[in-house]
Amino acid sequence: MSNSTAVLDGQRANAGKETMHALVYGGPNKKEWTEVPKPQLLHDTDAIVRVDITTICGSDLHILKGDVPEVNVGLILGHEAIGTVESVGAAVKQVKVGDRVVVSCITSCSICRYCREGHFGQCLKGGGWILGHLIDGTQAEFVRVPFCDTSTYPVPKGVPDEELLMLTDIVPTGYEIGVLNGCVAPGDVVAVVGAGPVGLSAVKTARLFNPRAIVAIDLDDNRLKQAKKFGADFTVNNGTSDPLEQIMKLTGGLGADVAIEAVGLETTFELATTLIRPCGHIANIGVHGAPVTLHLEKLWGKDVTITAGLVDTRTVPNLLGLVESKKLDVSDFVTHRFHMNQIIEAYDTFANASKTGALKVVMTP
Ligand code: NAD
Ligand code: ZN
């Protein structure tokens, strides 16, 4: 059985002579689609999965900005994929060669204390967010998936790959770290700061709880237009208008019941804390690369709850059920489609969303 260092160390130790193409991190602002050794099984709980579709996350942009310093030069990026199992280790029981699987952005050993509590993101035995972070990821032709029995989900019949791909990270992130941590309840006024794919996932899944109003806030008018389509009742461009004024108007001067931060900047975190009413919930989703100021001098007496977290993807079975039964529509995230070897163009398209109108860009072989 693997332990954390065994999983993380020497991940390419077994790499044979076969090669593949992958997107390799070269340090801040550097990346290359290049030939690398094809991954091989390293532990008996691993699977090698052929990537059928993958995408780019806001977190990949954070890595490329240098906000995630633990990412080593030479690592293959990407933590979202749907794929076909090519080989499995001797201890793998559920997943079989030829199976099509949803590869979660979070890996789970399933036996450590945190995994047993459903906090897979905090896995103590080498799981958690490792793909495209601590070990080679999914923006490649093949990926090694550790603990594959407990870190993948079988592809259900009748749901397109593009929709399933949205359940590997962004939708569970918006749902778990935004909506559930924020305790969205019927009748709430919910402010979502940042209308990227993750913020829009929070908007969409907040609707499941029948809030009174969802207010999406972003600097990009195109994203705000999308937010309306995804279920926001009101939108505010905080570059040109004051979101606090809008929230106060809506709530009779109280403030939002829930403020969700889905950007990862000091200013947007601070904004979320100013929009909240006494006894409200501030749910931080953004990955932060720099310290933020917590204005306790204003917040200490307001009985607010502040949460921050890494997604566990523990709601994926539930979300799969909602998507399969058409109670949750995730068909509208993908705006751009590329061949895998056009991945640099795909990154440019995703990173320049205000010009390109991109939400999720997907790559297929
Ligand atoms: P994204 O970059 O596509 O979207 C961010 C949005 O924020 C954009 O629409 C941008 O216009 C907007 N924005 C930027 N500056 C702003 C400002 N000052 N005021 C208002 N809006 C502003 O990213 P995404 O893929 O939607 O991800 C959002 C965040 O969630 C990122 O920080 C990402 O790393 C993080 N994330 C966290 C987890 C987790 O487990 N906690 C998981 C996945 C992603
Ligand atoms: Zn674990």
Side-chain angles (χ1 to χ4, degrees):
M1 192 43 143
S2 322
N3 62 34
S4 66
T5 42
V7 171
L8 304 180
D9 289 350
Q11 52 166 318
R12 287 192 196 145
N14 271 9
K17 292 206 178 70
E18 278 184 86
T19 60
M20 65 166 187
H21 278 83
L23 189 86
V24 175
Y25 176 62
N29 300 312
K30 285 190 213 136
K31 57 186 182 307
E32 191 187 4
W33 177 250
T34 185
E35 202 169 347
V36 295
K38 189 180 159 187
Q40 296 197 345
L41 297 168
L42 205 56
H43 302 283
D44 55 8
T45 50
D46 288 351
I48 303 299
V49 174
R50 191 188 72 218
V51 176
D52 296 329
I53 187 167
T54 184
T55 179
I56 304 168
C57 179
S59 300
D60 297 321
L61 301 184
H62 277 294
I63 293 172
L64 283 161
K65 272 203 303 184
D67 282 350
V68 193
E70 62 273 21
V71 176
N72 286 325
V73 169
L75 194 91
I76 298 171
L77 297 183
H79 48 265
E80 298 154 280
I82 309 299
T84 306
V85 177
E86 210 202 36
S87 58
V88 294
V92 174
K93 294 194 176 72
Q94 305 291 325
V95 174
K96 290 178 198 64
V97 172
D99 283 358
R100 301 205 62 246
V101 289
V102 176
V103 178
S104 167
C105 68
I106 300 295
T107 303
S108 163
C109 80
S110 80
I111 56 170
C112 77
R113 174 184 174 145
Y114 290 125
C115 283
R116 289 199 158 191
E117 291 175 348
H119 298 300
F120 311 134
Q122 307 300 326
C123 178
L124 291 165
K125 288 190 179 285
W129 177 29
I130 56 171
L131 289 173
H133 179 210
L134 304 177
I135 70 167
D136 284 337
T138 57
Q139 289 166 8
E141 291 176 290
F142 295 89
V143 59
R144 180 176 71 86
V145 180
F147 307 117
C148 72
D149 272 341
T150 47
S151 307
T152 63
Y153 300 87
V155 164
K157 282 208 177 72
V159 186
D161 279 6
E162 280 187 6
E163 293 181 28
L164 294 172
L165 190 61
M166 302 304 116
L167 301 189
T168 60
D169 180 353
I170 57 161
V171 176
T173 296
Y175 185 48
E176 293 174 19
I177 308 303
V179 173
L180 296 183
N181 281 1
C183 300
V184 173
D188 278 356
V189 171
V190 181
V192 180
V193 184
V198 170
L200 293 175
S201 296
V203 168
K204 220 177 235 296
T205 54
R207 285 245 80 91
L208 296 168
F209 293 85
N210 210 14
R212 175 151 73 93
I214 300 175
V215 184
I217 301 159
D218 202 292
L219 295 170
D220 177 354
D221 283 326
N222 173 57
R223 290 235 156 140
L224 291 174
K225 217 164 88 192
Q226 299 285 355
K228 275 262 169 88
K229 286 194 204 149
F230 278 67
D233 301 283
F234 303 94
T235 59
V236 185
N237 184 321
N238 57 319
T240 51
S241 314
D242 180 8
L244 185 61
E245 203 181 294
Q246 172 91 20
I247 296 279
M248 288 307 182
K249 231 190 269 168
L250 262 172
T251 57
L254 295 182
D257 298 280
V258 184
I260 294 173
E261 198 279 357
V263 186
L265 293 173
E266 180 172 26
T267 51
T268 46
F269 178 78
E270 279 193 44
L271 175 60
T273 64
T274 60
L275 300 177
I276 204 71
R277 70 165 170 82
C279 311
H281 286 79
I282 301 155
N284 179 83
I285 306 178
V287 170
H288 290 262
V292 304
T293 307
L294 178 63
H295 287 286
L296 273 181
E297 80 281 9
K298 292 182 186 139
L299 289 169
W300 72 267
K302 286 178 80 175
D303 296 13
V304 296
T305 303
I306 303 175
T307 54
L310 171 65
V311 66
D312 291 308
T313 63
R314 69 189 157 81
T315 60
V316 169
N318 204 352
L319 292 166
L320 273 170
L322 286 168
V323 170
E324 265 189 282
S325 62
K326 307 213 182 304
K327 296 282 187 325
L328 181 68
D329 177 11
V330 295
S331 65
D332 38 11
F333 282 100
V334 177
T335 54
H336 293 73
R337 296 166 181 87
F338 294 91
H339 189 280
M340 234 188 238
N341 61 23
Q342 298 170 298
I343 192 164
I344 301 291
E345 196 183 330
Y347 262 92
D348 289 343
T349 303
F350 182 62
N352 292 299
S354 57
K355 288 199 195 87
T356 61
L359 278 181
K360 280 304 251 189
V361 303
V362 299
M363 287 81 64
T364 47

